[in-house]
C-alpha cells in the first residue's frame, strides 16, 4: 500500500463552525490526519510518499473554472475587505436558494461565498486552498499509481472531499478528491470505475458529479438524510439520470442502525460493484461510522474496520482509499489503518 500524504494539510485549520446558534470548535482538526499518520508509522504499512503537483487543468476535469478561480483567490479577497480579517475565518452567510439566480456571479465577496457553498459549517482559512490543492494532488497521484500497477493506494489528506460538488464547498470539503481520482483513472485508460462511499454522511458532491454518467458507478452507505447531514440528497430513489440511470445506488440506513444492518448494506454494494465489473475502485473512506464518533449514530467497532478492508479486497480491484470523515480523533488512526490492513492481508 502506497500512502500519498498531504504534508500541508494543517494549513487548513478552521477555528469555528456554526452549531445550534453558536460557534463551536471545528470538528475537522489537523490532529485527525496526525492520528492516522502516527498509526501508519506504528504498523509500518507500506511507504509514505509526497505527491507531485498536478496542473490546475486536472482539477477542471471535475470542478468548474469559476469555482476554482474563486477558491484560489478567496482568502486574499477576504483579507482585502479588512486587514483584521486575517485573524478570522471566512464563513458564508447568504445563499441563492431556489428562485434566486446562481448564473450571475456577484461582485460582493459574501455573495460569492454563498454562491459557492452549501452550509455555514465549513470555514475558509488562510491555508485552505494550499491544503485542498495538495490533497487533490494526492488523489490524482494515487489514481496514477494504480494505473502504473499498484494494487492499493491511500490518500491521507484533509480537508475531506465527498461533499464538495463541481462548483461548491461544504461539509468540511472543498475539492472532491474521490471524484478527481475516479476521473484520472478514466483519463488514464480505465473504462469503468466504481466509487463506494462508506462515510457516515452521504457523498452528495460525488453523486452529483457523476449522476448522469454510466462510466462511474457511485454507491453510498450512509445515515438517512432526513435526519443527518447533508439532508437534501442521498435518498434511495436517486438512481441516476439519463445515461446515468442505474449507475447511482444509495443505501441509507436509519441513524442508530446496527452493525449487522451496515454489513448487509456493504454486501449489497459489493454485489453491485461485481456486476458492474469496473477496472478500478475508489473508496471514500470515512470512519465516522464508529460507535465513539462525536457527530454520528452508527455503532461500528474498531475490529469491524478490518472486516471492511477484507471484504473490499475480495472484489479484486486496484483500489484507491481516500480519507474523508471520522472525528473520534484518538481511535481514528486505528480505525482507518484497520481498513487498509484488512485489505492488504486479504489480498
Ligand atoms: C466529511 C464529513 O464527514 N463531513 C460532515 C459534515 C457534517 N457537518 C454537520 C455537523 C453537525 C454538527 N453536529 C454536532 C453534534 C454534536 N453532538
Ligand atoms: Zn462524514
Amino acid at each position: 500500500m502506497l500512502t500519498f500524504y498531504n504534508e500541508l494539510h494543517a494549513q487548513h485549520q478552521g477555528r469555528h463552525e456554526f452549531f445550534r446558534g453558536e460557534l463551536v470548535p471545528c470538528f475537522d482538526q489537523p490532529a485527525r490526519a496526525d492520528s492516522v499518520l502516527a498509526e501508519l508509522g506504528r504498523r509500518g504499512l507500506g511507504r509514505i510518499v509526497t505527491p507531485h503537483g498536478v496542473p490546475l487543468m486536472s482539477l477542471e476535469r471535475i470542478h468548474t473554472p469559476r469555482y476554482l478561480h474563486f477558491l484560489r483567490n478567496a482568502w486574499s479577497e477576504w483579507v482585502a475587505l479588512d486587514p483584521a480579517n486575517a485573524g478570522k475565518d471566512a464563513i458564508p452567510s447568504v445563499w441563492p436558494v431556489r428562485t434566486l439566480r446562481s448564473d450571475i456571479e456577484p461582485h460582493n465577496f459574501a455573495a460569492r461565498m454563498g454562491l459557492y457553498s452549501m452550509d455555514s459549517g465549513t470555514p475558509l482559512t488562510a491555508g485552505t486552498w494550499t491544503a485542498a490543492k495538495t490533497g487533490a494532488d494526492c488523489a490524482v497521484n494515487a489514481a496514477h499509481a494504480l494505473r502504473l500497477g499498484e494494487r492499493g493506494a491511500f490518500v491521507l489528506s484533509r480537508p475531506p472531499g465527498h461533499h464538495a460538488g463541481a462548483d461548491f464547498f461544504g461539509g468540511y470539503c472543498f475539492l472532491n478528491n474521490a471524484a478527481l481520482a475516479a476521473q484520472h483513472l478514466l483519463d488514464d485508460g480505465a473504462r469503468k470505475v466504481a466509487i463506494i462511499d462508506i462515510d457516515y454522511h452521504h457523498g452528495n458532491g460525488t453523486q452529483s458529479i457523476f449522476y448522469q454518467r454510466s462510466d462511474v458507478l457511485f454507491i453510498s452507505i450512509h445515515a438517512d438524510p432526513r435526519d443527518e447531514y447533508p439532508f437534501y440528497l442521498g435518498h434511495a430513489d436517486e438512481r441516476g439520470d439519463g445515461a446515468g440511470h442505474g449507475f447511482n445506488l444509495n443505501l441509507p440506513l436509519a441513524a442508530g442502525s446496527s452493525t449487522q444492518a451496515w454489513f448487509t448494506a456493504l454486501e449489497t454494494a459489493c454485489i453491485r460493484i461485481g456486476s458492474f465489473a469496473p477496472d478500478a475502485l475508489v473508496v471514500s473512506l470515512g470512519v465516522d461510522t464508529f460507535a465513539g464518533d462525536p457527530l454520528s449514530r452508527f455503532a461500528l467497532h474498531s475490529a469491524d474496520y478490518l472486516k471492511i478492508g477484507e471484504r473490499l479486497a475480495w472484489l479484486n480491484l486496484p483500489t484507491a482509499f481516500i480519507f474523508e470523515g471520522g472525528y473520534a480523533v484518538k481511535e481514528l488512526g486505528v480505525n482507518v489503518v484497520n481498513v487498509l490492513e484488512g485489505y492488504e492481508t486479504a489480498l
Side-chain angles (χ1 to χ4, degrees), residues 162 176 178 195-199 206 282-286 320 322 324:
H162 74 149
N176 195 311
I195 303 175
I196 182 169
D197 188 323
I198 60 173
D199 188 279
T206 318
V282 174
V283 182
S284 264
L285 176 54
I322 316 284
E324 303 280 6

Side-chain angles (χ1 to χ4, degrees), residues 12-340:
H12 174 67
Q13 186 155 20
R15 296 166 176 86
H16 297 110
E17 62 183 80
F18 273 105
F19 178 62
R20 293 185 183 160
E22 283 188 319
L23 287 168
V24 301
C26 285
F27 284 92
D28 176 29
Q29 284 295 320
R32 297 177 57 247
D34 298 341
S35 170
V36 180
L37 185 67
E39 187 63 22
L40 274 177
R42 260 175 234 122
R43 292 207 227 166
L45 205 83
R47 272 195 312 137
I48 294 169
V49 295
T50 302
H52 300 288
V54 303
L56 281 175
M57 271 176 53
S58 312
L59 276 53
E60 288 183 15
R61 299 289 294 143
I62 295 297
H63 296 284
T64 65
R66 77 173 194 174
Y67 173 61
L68 292 170
H69 183 263
F70 168 76
L71 206 56
R72 193 152 55 103
N73 297 300
W75 184 256
S76 57
E77 292 188 37
W78 168 243
V79 175
L81 290 175
D82 179 349
N85 281 353
K88 303 175 194 165
D89 297 343
I91 298 179
S93 57
V94 60
W95 289 272
V97 299
R98 292 177 284 280
T99 55
L100 301 180
R101 287 180 68 168
S102 50
D103 57 324
I104 296 176
E105 189 184 59
H107 296 148
N108 181 281
F109 180 77
R112 277 181 292 130
M113 280 289 278
L115 177 63
Y116 294 122
S117 70
M118 65 181 282
D119 64 45
S120 62
T122 311
L124 195 148
T125 79
T128 296
W129 168 257
T130 300
K133 168 62 170 61
T134 309
D137 293 341
C138 289
V140 172
N141 278 241
H144 202 70
L146 298 186
R147 294 300 299 163
L148 293 176
E150 288 291 331
R151 290 302 286 176
F154 173 46
V155 169
L156 177 48
S157 180
R158 358 174 341 279
H162 74 149
H163 295 303
D167 63 356
F168 62 86
F169 65 90
Y172 316 153
C173 303
F174 294 87
L175 297 174
N176 195 311
N177 300 314
L180 286 160
Q183 186 61 52
H184 186 82
L185 285 161
L186 294 166
D187 291 345
D188 208 27
R191 286 165 308 114
K192 295 189 283 181
V193 175
I195 303 175
I196 182 169
D197 188 323
I198 60 173
D199 188 279
Y200 178 77
H201 306 94
H202 176 250
N204 62 284
T206 318
Q207 168 172 314
S208 64
I209 286 163
F210 296 116
Y211 204 60
Q212 284 158 327
R213 289 170 51 173
S214 58
D215 55 346
V216 177
L217 171 68
F218 177 73
I219 305 183
S220 183
I221 305 169
H222 52 270
D224 189 326
R226 287 174 294 192
D227 297 304
E228 294 283 12
Y229 191 90
F231 305 121
Y232 311 110
L233 208 67
H235 301 280
D237 66 350
E238 296 156 14
R239 310 261 320 265
D241 239 0
H245 188 78
F247 297 94
N248 194 88
L249 176 59
N250 283 328
L251 300 168
L253 300 169
S257 285
S258 68
T259 297
Q260 193 196 315
W262 195 91
F263 274 96
T264 300
L266 180 65
E267 200 50 40
T268 302
C270 288
I271 288 166
R272 178 70 186 98
I273 293 167
S275 70
F276 181 63
D279 301 307
L281 178 68
V282 174
V283 182
S284 264
L285 176 54
V287 293
D288 36 12
T289 48
F290 180 55
D293 193 277
L295 279 190
S296 314
R297 292 184 285 166
F298 283 170
L300 273 65
H301 291 96
S302 293
D304 292 320
Y305 294 98
L306 284 163
K307 285 171 51 187
I308 296 172
E310 273 171 35
R311 183 63 187 90
L312 295 174
W314 295 342
L315 293 169
N316 196 26
L317 293 165
T319 302
F321 294 89
I322 316 284
F323 184 40
E324 303 280 6
Y327 307 94
V329 175
K330 194 162 101 41
E331 296 92 347
L332 202 49
V334 168
N335 294 345
V336 168
V337 180
N338 274 0
V339 174
L340 305 177

